[in-house]
């Protein structure tokens, strides 16, 4: 079918990050298709779907179905309009025709995408509706419920035990809510659970936020965790000195009583709503997501904020200044700056820098994108 050494380093970083229009063509669809060999051997008419939160994620949910009308529509499909979303669809469709396997992306609405050409694929309305039903059912199994902290707190009362599953690595461990009135303060249950949590973070404790599913009583809740033991409380003999935190929609930190932007973006990733969430953010909230992506080396967060494939090489970055948001309802472009504390790659020096952001949107109804970020 179809200046100083440090200044020079930062200038080099800037040159690497300045954006151009359009979406880079380096992404290979195969990265989202670990089962293509099996699909190639499948009998004609069998269609396979695979859902992953990102192309690099190890955790995935799969389903196969047979629908001759959809198979026929796939074989007769034609090229459609350009696909302009910043991220590859989280669902892959694999089918067999003309003695070979074929793979396409498929959106939650059932729209097909040929990522090699970055165009949609036109199907009949009946075939698209059938695909939409299959994809939405599979995504509901893969991702978590988006519950507010108030509702999640009732589902996970204090001293309840549950499974925590990392949506990128697929690793899981058992935890217990020990305390927490504004989010859940959690302990791994055993030494083995602590070791798994540590392995999720590459073998060392970390404050980095990760999208997770909290599973209890047949329910799976979208959440975000960090992996740093801190504070009091403990379960004897579990090799974890303190607790770690799990946030849900709208939960806040204990100290500032404010919503943590990095946790909230991970909650939405765990719910399968990353693009929808980011597309509705104000320019300043979008910058917070970009800073989180830079700090954690999260290429997907950088891409969803800029519309481009990027690599930004820093060891750490956090916001220092708090910008006052202003009315941008009638603006198509915006320039603003943010003070950050950051450590460049290959150094240990924490320095204060200012990042000058230029943001644009195509119309007053469209979402904002970060078009350049100059680290001064």
């Amino acid at each position: 079918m179809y200046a100083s050494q440090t200044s020079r380093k930062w200038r080099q970083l800037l040159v690497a990050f300045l954006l151009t229009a359009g979406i880079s063509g380096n992404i290979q669809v195969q990265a989202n298709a670990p089962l293509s060999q099996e699909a190639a051997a499948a009998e004609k008419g069998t269609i396979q779907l695979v859902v992953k939160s990102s192309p690099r994620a190890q955790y995935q949910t799969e389903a196969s179905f047979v629908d001759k009308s959809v198979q026929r529509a796939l074989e007769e499909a034609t090229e459609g309009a350009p696909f302009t979303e910043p991220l590859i669809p989280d669902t892959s469709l694999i089918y067999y025709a003309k003695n070979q396997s074929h793979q396409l992306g498929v959106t939650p609405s059932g729209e097909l995408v040929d990522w090699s050409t970055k165009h949609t694929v036109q199907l009949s309305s009946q075939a698209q509706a059938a695909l939409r039903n299959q994809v939405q059912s599979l995504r509901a199994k893969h991702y978590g419920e988006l519950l507010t902290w108030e509702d999640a707190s009732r589902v996970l009362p204090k001293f309840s035990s549950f499974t925590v599953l990392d949506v990128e690595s697929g690793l899981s461990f058992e935890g217990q809510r020990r305390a927490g009135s504004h989010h859940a303060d959690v302990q791994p249950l055993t030494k083995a659970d602590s070791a798994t949590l540590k392995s999720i973070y590459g073998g060392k404790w970390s404050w980095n936020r990760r999208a997770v599913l909290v599973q209890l009583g047949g329910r799976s809740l979208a959440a975000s965790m960090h992996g740093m033991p801190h504070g009091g409380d403990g379960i004897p003999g579990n090799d974890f000195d303190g607790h770690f935190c799990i946030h849900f929609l709208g939960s806040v930190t204990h100290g500032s009583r404010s919503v943590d932007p990095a946790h909230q973006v991970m909650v939405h990733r765990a719910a399968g709503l990353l693009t929808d969430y980011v597309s509705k953010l104000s320019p300043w909230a979008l910058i917070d997501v970009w800073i989180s992506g830079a700090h954690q080396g999260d290429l997907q967060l950088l891409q969803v904020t800029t519309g481009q494939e990027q690599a930004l090489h820093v060891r750490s970055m956090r916001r220092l200044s708090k910008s006052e948001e202003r009315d941008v309802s009638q603006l198509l472009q915006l320039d603003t700056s943010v003070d950050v504390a950051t450590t460049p790659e290959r150094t240990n020096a924490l320095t204060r820098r200012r990042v000058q952001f230029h943001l644009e949107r195509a119309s007053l109804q469209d979402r904002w994108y970060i078009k350049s970020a100059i680290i001064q």
Side-chain angles (χ1 to χ4, degrees):
M1 65 145 274
Y2 167 35
S4 64
Q5 185 175 2
T6 301
S7 296
R8 284 197 298 273
K9 285 182 180 178
W10 284 114
R11 290 195 183 99
Q12 291 169 358
L13 176 61
L14 160 64
V15 171
F17 182 69
L18 286 176
L19 309 181
T20 56
I23 297 176
S24 169
N26 295 329
I27 292 180
Q28 299 296 317
V29 178
Q30 299 94 287
N32 208 20
L35 303 179
S36 57
Q37 290 183 344
E38 293 179 23
E43 64 177 293
K44 185 174 181 180
T46 298
I47 299 167
Q48 186 176 39
L49 296 174
V50 181
V51 181
K52 303 168 65 173
S53 62
S54 75
R56 296 172 179 82
Q58 297 300 305
Y59 173 61
Q60 62 186 40
T61 304
E62 309 153 17
S64 297
F65 65 97
V66 176
D67 189 316
K68 292 183 179 179
S69 63
V70 172
Q71 175 77 28
R72 186 164 50 253
L74 289 168
E75 294 174 1
E76 298 173 353
T78 58
E79 184 175 90
F83 184 73
T84 58
E85 291 296 321
L87 299 180
I88 185 172
D90 64 0
T91 305
S92 292
L93 179 148
I94 307 162
Y95 72 100
Y96 185 74
K98 297 183 180 179
N99 298 318
Q100 60 181 332
S101 62
H102 303 272
Q103 181 177 310
L104 299 167
V106 54
T107 70
S109 66
E111 185 177 47
L112 287 176
V113 179
D114 184 340
W115 201 250
S116 64
T117 64
K118 299 177 185 64
H119 276 72
T120 60
V121 177
Q122 290 186 323
L123 290 179
S124 67
S125 58
Q126 295 88 343
Q128 185 169 332
L131 277 179
R132 180 174 61 247
N133 291 338
Q134 293 285 346
V135 170
Q136 290 179 351
S137 175
L138 191 62
R139 293 180 85 252
K141 295 176 182 177
H142 183 79
Y143 292 113
E145 297 178 61
L146 189 64
L147 291 187
T148 64
W149 163 239
E150 290 75 15
D151 290 337
S153 182
R154 287 189 283 270
V155 176
L156 309 168
K158 289 182 181 179
F159 304 111
S160 60
S161 297
F162 42 79
T163 300
V164 181
L165 188 151
D166 179 66
V167 301
E168 287 292 305
S169 69
L171 295 173
S172 64
F173 62 93
E174 300 302 306
Q176 184 183 72
R177 180 183 173 191
R178 305 287 293 180
S181 56
H182 301 287
H183 58 256
D185 292 341
V186 179
Q187 277 270 306
L189 280 181
T190 68
K191 287 183 179 180
D193 293 315
S194 296
T196 300
L197 172 57
K198 197 171 189 177
S199 69
I200 289 172
Y201 284 95
K204 54 186 178 182
W205 305 124
S206 172
W207 289 106
N208 283 358
R209 281 54 166 148
R210 293 186 70 94
V212 296
L213 304 177
V214 175
Q215 300 173 327
L216 172 68
R219 301 183 72 172
S220 185
L221 311 185
S224 171
M225 74 174 183
H226 66 66
M228 180 61 71
H230 69 288
D233 197 27
I235 296 176
N238 70 346
D239 281 353
F240 198 87
D241 185 15
H243 64 266
F244 69 99
C245 300
I246 296 182
H247 283 241
F248 297 85
L249 179 66
S251 59
V252 300
T253 62
H254 289 314
S256 67
R257 298 292 194 271
S258 60
V259 169
D260 181 279
H263 274 308
Q264 292 305 302
V265 74
M266 291 300 173
V267 170
H268 285 84
R269 175 184 274 173
L273 298 171
L274 177 61
T275 299
D276 290 345
Y277 173 68
V278 171
S279 68
K280 297 178 176 67
L281 293 179
S282 71
W284 293 272
L286 192 66
I287 287 170
D288 282 332
V289 176
W290 184 92
I291 291 173
S292 295
H295 176 72
Q296 298 193 184
D298 192 320
L299 303 184
Q300 191 182 45
L301 292 190
L302 293 175
Q303 188 173 347
V304 78
T305 56
T306 65
Q308 307 293 311
E309 275 192 274
Q310 314 276 314
L312 183 63
H313 301 292
V314 295
R315 292 183 60 189
S316 68
M317 181 180 291
R318 63 182 177 86
R319 174 194 277 271
L320 293 177
S321 60
K322 201 165 189 179
S323 302
E324 286 194 24
E325 298 198 16
R326 56 190 177 91
D327 182 14
V328 294
S329 60
Q330 300 304 310
L331 297 181
L332 297 178
Q333 299 187 27
L334 176 69
D335 291 289
T336 188
S337 61
V338 174
D339 292 330
V340 298
T342 188
T343 304
E345 196 176 38
R346 302 187 191 89
T347 75
N348 293 317
L350 183 67
T351 60
R352 182 181 180 123
R353 297 283 172 177
R354 175 163 292 180
V355 186
Q356 186 71 37
F357 290 95
H358 176 72
L359 300 94
E360 296 181 5
R361 56 179 172 173
S363 74
L364 297 181
Q365 290 70 46
D366 286 313
R367 57 156 292 183
W368 288 96
Y369 284 99
I370 296 171
K371 290 299 182 180
S372 69
I374 302 174
I375 302 177
Q376 300 172 331

